[in-house]
Amino acid sequence: DSGVTQTPKHLITATGQRVTLRCSPRSGDLSVYWYQQSLDQGLQFLIQYYNGEERAKGNILERFSAQQFPDLHSELNLSSLELGDSALYFCASSERGTANEKLFFGSGTQLSVL
Amino acid sequence: DQQVKQNSPSLSVQEGRISILNCDYTNSMFDYFLWYKKYPAEGPTFLISISSIKDKNEDGRFTVFLNKSAKHLSLHIVPSQPGDSAVYFCAASGISNFGNEKLTFGTGTRLTIIP
């Protein structure tokens, strides 16, 4: 158990809809990362937050947004969903948010857009 | 633009033999490298790392080798055990093409240990 909690584990929705994925980081970790893993793809970095502030941005679509709340949990919002958004979305956390830290991953949210 | 490449999607190795997983990178700004292991229905877990100032790091049955001139690293597992069957991701950190520091992952290699 990594200590990172992601909910829900599975999400099935239709094109055009909006969903929210939730992540609770490991106790004591200030930084949260979101990654997307599509079929046969590696983990694509989406966005990183540190103590409530956005720290780094990757290949995140404009239809996607995220935030980190004062209690340090994070939410990833995906809107106007398309079939291609179907993927496994991972949240990870680390203590200081520096690039050389090892990340602790949640078990992911499997999103299926039909 | 895949900056971290794992060209072998899968690898099968006999139990007790050595498993060698390879990873190539293109961004010379990467200065720290990590390997993560992922079982089905779980998130990746950290396995071992190496800084660019070293060429080898060992932790029990796992050794990572870094060849900076070739922009290549490899993970050696010896002896291989059935519990090592998993997907292995190579990752690199440093200044990305977006101008920030982040971890870039490869596409993974599925290792199967044959009893």
Side-chain angles (χ1 to χ4, degrees), chain A residues 3 9 13 24 87 105:
Chain A
K9 291 193 182 305
T13 188
S24 294
F105 283 83

Side-chain angles (χ1 to χ4, degrees), chain A residues 9-21:
Chain A
K9 291 193 182 305
H10 302 277
L11 200 48
I12 301 174
T13 188
T15 54
Q17 296 298 304
R18 172 190 167 96
V19 297
T20 298
L21 313 184

Side-chain angles (χ1 to χ4, degrees), chain A residues 33-35 43-48 55-60 97-101 103, chain B residues 1 3-4 27 29-32 34 91-105:
Chain A
Y33 306 73
W34 287 97
Y35 283 85
L43 292 156
Q44 300 293 319
F45 171 71
L46 296 177
I47 199 164
Q48 178 199 1
R55 173 167 279 190
K57 213 166 187 174
N59 293 326
I60 188 165
T98 56
N100 292 355
E101 278 186 300
L103 304 183
Chain B
D1 176 24
Q3 298 185 69
V4 178
N27 189 339
M29 298 297 288
F30 288 143
D31 58 6
Y32 197 76
L34 307 91
S93 75
I95 303 299
S96 75
N97 287 343
F98 295 97
N100 53 27
E101 265 193 295
K102 69 176 184 70
L103 203 55
T104 302
F105 283 84

Side-chain angles (χ1 to χ4, degrees), chain B residues 16-56:
Chain B
R17 307 293 291 267
I18 184 171
S19 295
I20 300 177
L21 295 94
N22 294 305
C23 177
D24 297 293
Y25 61 96
T26 57
N27 189 339
S28 58
M29 298 297 288
F30 288 143
D31 58 6
Y32 197 76
F33 304 88
L34 307 91
W35 285 91
Y36 282 79
K37 174 179 176 179
K38 183 184 178 306
Y39 292 119
E42 295 182 13
T45 55
F46 171 78
L47 189 57
I48 192 169
S49 62
I50 187 168
S51 165
S52 61
I53 62 173
K54 294 186 174 183
D55 54 20
K56 175 182 174 182

Side-chain angles (χ1 to χ4, degrees), chain B residues 58-75:
Chain B
E58 191 171 348
D59 183 4
R61 297 186 297 112
F62 302 91
T63 303
V64 56
F65 295 92
L66 176 62
N67 181 334
K68 289 186 290 293
S69 61
K71 294 192 178 68
H72 176 84
L73 64 157
S74 60
L75 174 68

